[in-house]
Amino acid sequence: MPPPPPAVPGMALAHVDTPALLVDLDAFERNLARMAEAAKAAGVRLRPHAKTHKSPVIARRQIALGAVGACCQKVSEAEILADGGVDDILVSNQIAGTRKLDRLAALACQARVAVCVDDAGNAREVSAAAGRFGAEIGVLVEIDVGSGRCGVAPGPDAVRLAQQVARLPGLRFDGLQAYHGAAQHRRGWDERRDAIAEAAAKVRQTVDGLAAAGLECRTVGGAGTGTYPFEAASGAWNELQVGSYIFMDADYARNRGADGGPVTTFEHALFVLATVMSHPVADRAVVDAGLKALSVESGLPELWQRAGIAYKGAADEHGKLALDGSNAPLGIGDKLLLVPGHCDPTVNLHDWYVGVRGLGTDTARVEAVWPVAARGAMF
Amino acid sequence: MPPPPPAVPGMALAHVDTPALLVDLDAFERNLARMAEAAKAAGVRLRPHAKTHKSPVIARRQIALGAVGACCQKVSEAEILADGGVDDILVSNQIAGTRKLDRLAALACQARVAVCVDDAGNAREVSAAAGRFGAEIGVLVEIDVGSGRCGVAPGPDAVRLAQQVARLPGLRFDGLQAYHGAAQHRRGWDERRDAIAEAAAKVRQTVDGLAAAGLECRTVGGAGTGTYPFEAASGAWNELQVGSYIFMDADYARNRGADGGPVTTFEHALFVLATVMSHPVADRAVVDAGLKALSVESGLPELWQRAGIAYKGAADEHGKLALDGSNAPLGIGDKLLLVPGHCDPTVNLHDWYVGVRGLGTDTARVEAVWPVAARGAMF
């Protein structure tokens, strides 16, 4: 059983139990709208990544603003999205093994489903599963546009695999998956622009090869919160798979814009609310949010609007704060907002979102408590 | 709802879905027995840390071998342990706030419960909560023996706080909490020995001060898997709070023994079983276990008994493997065992343990599927 939620709607912020995963609903809604407008202005489709939020509630909010569906990384996430009312889902990842592929094919009987493939043998297995269920499964051939992770080489190798996919029963060749994960957190605007320009050349070469082979490439998917302006403007991609923009995190906030300053398009909308539980000496306090409430692999969390306090170390259930003396006095029981270093794996540690309206005002109040429905959905 | 388990008892290992949190039951049981024997030989009590396993099933196994109870870090963990049949629980941490303290006091009506305190105001709050429930709550005064995290200064400050605790209604002064977290992963045997020798001096000074003040110190608790031989032999501690020994992890395996070689007392008994989902080029493959299946903040996982393969990078749902050419051929769908970098936060990512008997043999078979009952219990 999941733990009970740390808040109920209507509760004043001061009464929320900790550690709690807080959403600033005002900032979150502005983030949703800004990305929807950006995609519309660029004339590209938006298929936001549900691996960030793991919530059909949020996916439906994105779809209500024009998104064509959702993407996710796991079959179990796709099942939860479909059960929650999302009917067009891309598993933007390779899926191996009969047990998972049977579930994928079964789901394709309930919703429009696509998956990524970078291997002919795996494509045959997806086809066989589709056959067992009389299902049609969409396929994007994943190409490696610079990340050195999954994906076949762009150009002839990708065209050959696409031809194999197109011939396999039960599969619908939809196009290309061209996500440059390694470019998302390059700090300089120019670095990210140049990485996506190189990736775009690889996409165009492959799309041209597909056309020469008589294969229609309806979808070129990719992009993340760090690079989407480049993919959107390139003409090479037509579907954005951005995820983190809804929440932002401390790591994404370190990316620089065209002028060398911070990127201000999206606001921090996700926080972990923590309580001071120990304050043994003047320059040190300890909060109740450590490694099991925050993912720190992309950097430690940052204090939100609290001068003179820094989060300096995380143990399982302890967060050590350094106080430089310029801070307002802290007491045991005081609550602080932390901006997570990396939003996606932090969300996955929690069972509940606590949506707060008016965060930063005296009337801050819980408006929504949403389950992190696909928390732990790793299968 | 938690995801369904990736296996059922009786299943052959080859059929277990991934990523799965695997326990090698044979190694696990040897680890349990070895620590039980070590504590018995040293004449100290064993109160293993349930923050590692979050499982009443495992806590009861430890108690069956002589442990006096369990410790944990959160009230919600304590509740789950008590519901699961553990009736003597130390929350080895500070608990702040009325909501949590009321739950602690309520639990103290159901089981023998103690908590750590390092602040007089917090002690008064614990006492007030005990009063509201007519409960008695045990208190260990936490002293900082070198970690620089929680805890009052050893000596007079600690004695003063203990006197305050002893006078407060509803509280039972049990003794001292003296855990040296920062010493656990110092690599050299001598470094760890010296750190605990320094800590022991602080404990003795404080115990002497308590005696001079007429306060009985029934319990001095502390120690972890990295240092317990020193605490056990010191005469200063009488209760060991070791956790990781049951599973071991890649980080603990980097500690050195007295001879400069690896510490061989405990065996790796916890693994994440992962599946190869992409193998686009000869020297690179990708498995389905990344940041949401493995905590990497103490180092990346290590391949178990697979030469020539190294886990080189984790993204949310991808683990990138580097193959040096000396490895046996890998195919998509192949399953690999990973030794997590840090066991406690890795366990907390999973909902199920898959207990395997005969791991490493041709007849490896699932014998037990246990819930990670306190997964996500951070309140």
Side-chain angles (χ1 to χ4, degrees), chain A residues 96-115:
Chain A
T98 303
R99 181 165 164 174
K100 289 188 175 76
L101 288 172
D102 275 359
R103 283 167 39 217
L104 185 75
L107 191 66
C109 301
Q110 306 276 323
R112 184 177 175 88
V113 167
V115 70

Side-chain angles (χ1 to χ4, degrees), chain A residues 150-236:
Chain A
C150 302
V152 291
D157 285 0
V159 173
R160 194 171 313 116
L161 180 56
Q163 289 173 310
Q164 291 168 309
V165 166
R167 281 195 296 268
L168 283 167
L171 302 190
R172 179 185 71 240
F173 173 67
D174 281 345
L176 299 176
Q177 172 75 359
Y179 174 59
H180 198 331
Q184 299 309 315
H185 292 86
R186 292 185 188 163
R187 298 305 176 208
W189 177 267
D190 294 355
E191 291 175 275
R192 299 197 301 282
R193 181 197 60 204
D194 295 350
I196 301 308
E198 279 183 46
K202 294 172 182 169
V203 168
R204 289 192 193 98
Q205 172 203 8
T206 312
V207 171
D208 290 348
L210 291 170
L215 282 172
E216 192 190 355
C217 181
R218 286 182 297 271
T219 297
V220 178
T225 296
T227 63
Y228 79 92
F230 310 116
E231 283 96 339
S234 69

Side-chain angles (χ1 to χ4, degrees), chain B residues 7-16 22-26 354-369:
Chain B
V8 293
M11 193 177 251
L13 178 61
H15 296 144
V16 174
L22 237 67
V23 177
D24 175 341
L25 291 174
D26 306 291
V354 177
V356 174
R357 187 70 68 186
L359 193 70
T361 72
D362 290 346
T363 56
R365 199 165 280 280
V366 177
E367 180 177 299
V369 177

